[in-house]
Structure formats: structure tokens, C-alpha cells
Amino acid sequence: MDAVEYVSPSPATLSAGRDYPRTYREFAEWFRDEEACSKFIEALRWPQGFTCPACGVVGEPWRETRGRLVCPKCRHQTTVTAGTILEKTRTPLTTWFEAAWHVTTTKNGFSAKSLERTLGTRYRVAWTMLQRFRVAMVRAERAPLSGTVEVDEALIGGVKHDGKRGRGAKKAIVLISLEIKQPKGFGRVRMRQVVDASDASLRPFVCDTVAPGSIVHTDGWTGYNRLAQSGYVHERTIMSSSGDPAHVAMPGVHRIASLLKRWILGTHQGSVSDEHLQSYLEEFTFRFNRRTSRSRGLVFRRLLEQIARTDQVPEKNLIHGYDWRLHKM
């Protein structure tokens, strides 16, 4: 395939080996230089042809030096990376593409240290790339969960103090909502770090992630008591009277919590701070929701599509944790 001549098809007609690489060897052949990477990003960003960000005119731009694209009508100058997380990057696009390939095609992803060693970059470059990828992994227009949805909290990280366990322990509280398929199986997941397990934290999370009219299954915690008032069919299982342990009564969210903890301990050696935890939750969500993809190369393409549509994120907005309130979740 000649990536320089790539034309983006409609999503329904994507084909392995034509629209995304099937193997690392194909990847290396397609994206061998900056021009090939730039053309691919251009096709993903403007599938109907170049669209001027200033006047909206669609048509072939004038192509100037240093990758500048000039609108033939209003003379506005731009580049394929302007207005994306790649804007003003000093890291070659070939390095960005290789990082995206490794992150999406390995089962458990990469830590910043592993990516540093694989790409031969500085640790700060690898860390910043991964943080920007995590922002891009969240689609603003993603559909809410529906059907039967389990919702519960999990405690992530930290250690016990004074023997305290449960909702009052000094750990990060992560809310998990998970679609339950019938007769068995799981659908999509959503997760959010919250400050407490009160109604003020729980109900907004459910309203943001689950479609109204869905069946929401929770435990007997009082923070969920007002869900019916928000348009949900609320099913409660009070653990003390059910006779079943939590992982039996609500197996879905407990399976997700277990996988999340294992992923953090394995891929990231447990080194995830509270201020960055939500970003890691979004990466886990991206991976889990695409676990049945027919091709890891397709997941690579999906990430690049999001990179081409995600606004620039300055490094200063990442250092102390990305403000996810700026992102529709």
C-alpha cells in the first residue's frame, strides 16, 4: 500500500491491509517516513477532502514548505497537526505512530518506562505521549450504556490505616458501571474517580454514563437511593440479607475491579498517583471496550482517528493531572 495516496473510506467499509495495517511489518512499510504519516493523518482528519478551519471551504489546498496547507479562497494557513494533540510537537510523527502501534497492539499496553526503552526517547517524552493518548482515547460523542447495568464502587491503591476497610478507607474511590449481557457476558464499561460515595457523587456518574430507562443494579448503599427519581429502573441487592458475597451478587463490576487492579499492578507496577488515576481509568476503558475487535490494527486506527480530532493539550495541563471536567465523559 502507498500511504501517501491514502484516501479515507467510510467506517462501514474499513478493510484490514487496506485501511489499517495487519502486522508490524505492514505498519513499518506504510509509515516509513514523515510524509506517509502526515498523509494518513490528513485523510483521517478530512475524509471528504481538506476543509479550511477558517472559512469552511472544502477543496484541494495549496501545499507550501514545512507542511503548510493554504486555503485557496481565504489564504488561511494551517497544517495537518494544527488543532490536534500533535500540534507543535517536536517529536517526529513516525515516533508518534510507532508509540500508538505499540500501545494499542499489546494486550496490556505500555508503561512510560517501557515505551522509553522501546522507542529510545527520553522518559518525559514517553510519559507525555501516553498522557496525550489517554486524553484522545475518550470520544466526546460515545453512546451511554444501556440495558441492564451494574454499578458499584471499587477502592484502588493506598494501604489500610488503623485497620479501616471499605468505603471509609484511605484509598481512591472509583465508580464502575458495566453493561450486563443476557444470558451471559459483559458489554461496555465506564469508570470515574470520585471524592466520596455520597449521592452527590454517585447519581451524576450514573446520569452521565447510563441511558435513562435502563435497569441499574446496585447494592443497598444509601447513596443510590434516588436513582429511580432520575429515570432509571433501580434494582437493589442488599448484601447482608442476600446470603451471597458481593462478587456473586454483582459479578460484573467486581470482575472489572479485579482486572483494573491487576493491570495497574502489572503494566504500571502499581505506580499510579491519585492526580493521574482518571487518565489510567480512561485507558483501561478504551482497552476493555475494544477487547473483541477483530484486529489490533483496527484499534490502532481508531486511536489515530481520535488523535486527529482531539484538541491540543499543552504539557502544563498534564503535569499535575488532566482536568477531565474539560472533557465530556
Side-chain angles (χ1 to χ4, degrees):
M1 170 186 172
D2 188 349
V4 174
E5 301 300 326
Y6 181 79
V7 177
S8 182
S10 65
T13 61
L14 294 179
S15 174
R18 184 192 68 186
D19 303 309
Y20 52 86
R22 291 166 293 195
T23 64
Y24 182 73
R25 177 172 293 182
E26 277 193 349
F27 165 84
E29 291 173 352
W30 287 23
F31 305 116
R32 56 190 175 274
D33 54 34
E34 292 294 290
E35 182 182 10
C37 296
S38 180
K39 285 292 185 182
F40 197 79
I41 289 291
E42 181 178 345
L44 294 179
R45 189 173 181 186
W46 299 299
Q48 306 306 319
F50 171 77
T51 303
C52 177
C55 68
V57 167
V58 179
E60 180 63 21
W62 297 336
R63 299 181 184 272
E64 304 291 344
T65 58
R66 302 196 304 276
R68 291 174 298 165
L69 305 177
V70 181
C71 175
K73 181 178 181 181
C74 70
R75 306 298 192 271
H76 176 77
Q77 296 186 15
T78 188
T79 65
V80 297
T81 59
T84 75
I85 65 171
L86 303 175
E87 183 174 356
K88 296 182 180 179
T89 180
R90 289 177 290 181
T91 303
L93 290 181
T94 51
T95 302
W96 278 97
F97 272 52
E98 186 169 4
W101 176 266
H102 289 307
V103 166
T104 55
T105 58
T106 54
K107 181 178 179 180
N108 294 315
F110 268 57
S111 66
K113 194 65 180 178
S114 296
L115 194 62
E116 172 198 14
R117 293 167 177 164
T118 300
L119 300 180
T121 64
R122 292 182 295 115
Y123 177 83
R124 182 167 180 171
V125 172
W127 183 89
T128 304
M129 291 173 75
L130 286 175
Q131 293 296 336
R132 287 181 170 141
F133 283 162
R134 290 168 184 136
V135 174
M137 286 175 178
V138 180
R139 290 191 305 117
E141 69 276 14
R142 61 186 181 182
L145 308 185
S146 60
T148 299
V149 180
E150 279 187 12
V151 179
D152 201 2
E153 319 96 66
L155 301 176
I156 304 297
V159 296
K160 291 192 298 179
H161 294 285
D162 302 323
K164 182 178 285 187
R165 302 182 64 185
R167 289 180 170 96
K170 295 298 183 179
K171 294 187 176 186
I173 301 176
V174 173
L175 301 182
I176 302 173
S177 56
L178 174 69
E179 290 177 331
I180 305 300
K181 299 298 183 182
Q182 299 299 332
K184 64 178 182 178
F186 306 137
R188 297 167 296 152
V189 70
R190 296 281 189 275
M191 292 187 284
R192 179 180 298 174
Q193 181 184 8
V194 293
V195 296
D196 57 35
S198 67
D199 172 81
S201 297
L202 301 180
R203 199 148 57 103
F205 169 70
V206 175
C207 291
D208 289 344
T209 61
V210 183
S214 301
I215 300 172
V216 178
H217 183 199
T218 73
D219 61 16
W221 179 246
T222 57
Y224 297 112
N225 285 352
R226 299 172 62 192
L227 287 181
Q229 299 176 23
S230 298
Y232 300 101
V233 179
H234 186 198
E235 294 184 350
R236 301 170 63 206
T237 298
I238 300 176
M239 300 304 174
S240 60
S241 60
S242 69
D244 292 326
H247 70 275
V248 173
M250 301 184 66
V253 290
H254 285 84
R255 175 74 64 82
I256 296 300
S258 177
L259 292 173
L260 172 63
K261 293 174 183 178
R262 191 183 309 167
W263 178 69
I264 290 176
L265 287 172
T267 301
H268 303 287
Q269 291 78 54
S271 181
V272 176
S273 63
D274 279 359
E275 62 185 1
H276 294 294
L277 178 57
Q278 186 63 47
S279 296
Y280 288 86
L281 298 180
E282 297 302 342
E283 180 182 350
F284 182 90
T285 296
F286 178 87
R287 294 182 175 283
F288 184 85
N289 290 349
R290 289 161 181 79
R291 67 195 182 281
T292 60
S293 176
R294 64 182 182 273
S295 169
R296 303 317 296 174
L298 178 58
V299 180
F300 162 75
R301 179 194 166 93
R302 294 305 186 201
L303 178 56
L304 288 185
E305 289 175 346
Q306 287 303 109
I307 288 173
R309 298 168 185 167
T310 302
D311 292 340
Q312 181 188 24
V313 182
E315 185 176 351
K316 65 180 182 180
N317 293 357
L318 299 170
I319 296 300
H320 299 294
Y322 180 69
D323 187 355
W324 285 95
R325 294 173 298 180
L326 304 175
H327 219 96
K328 183 180 178 183
M329 298 165 60

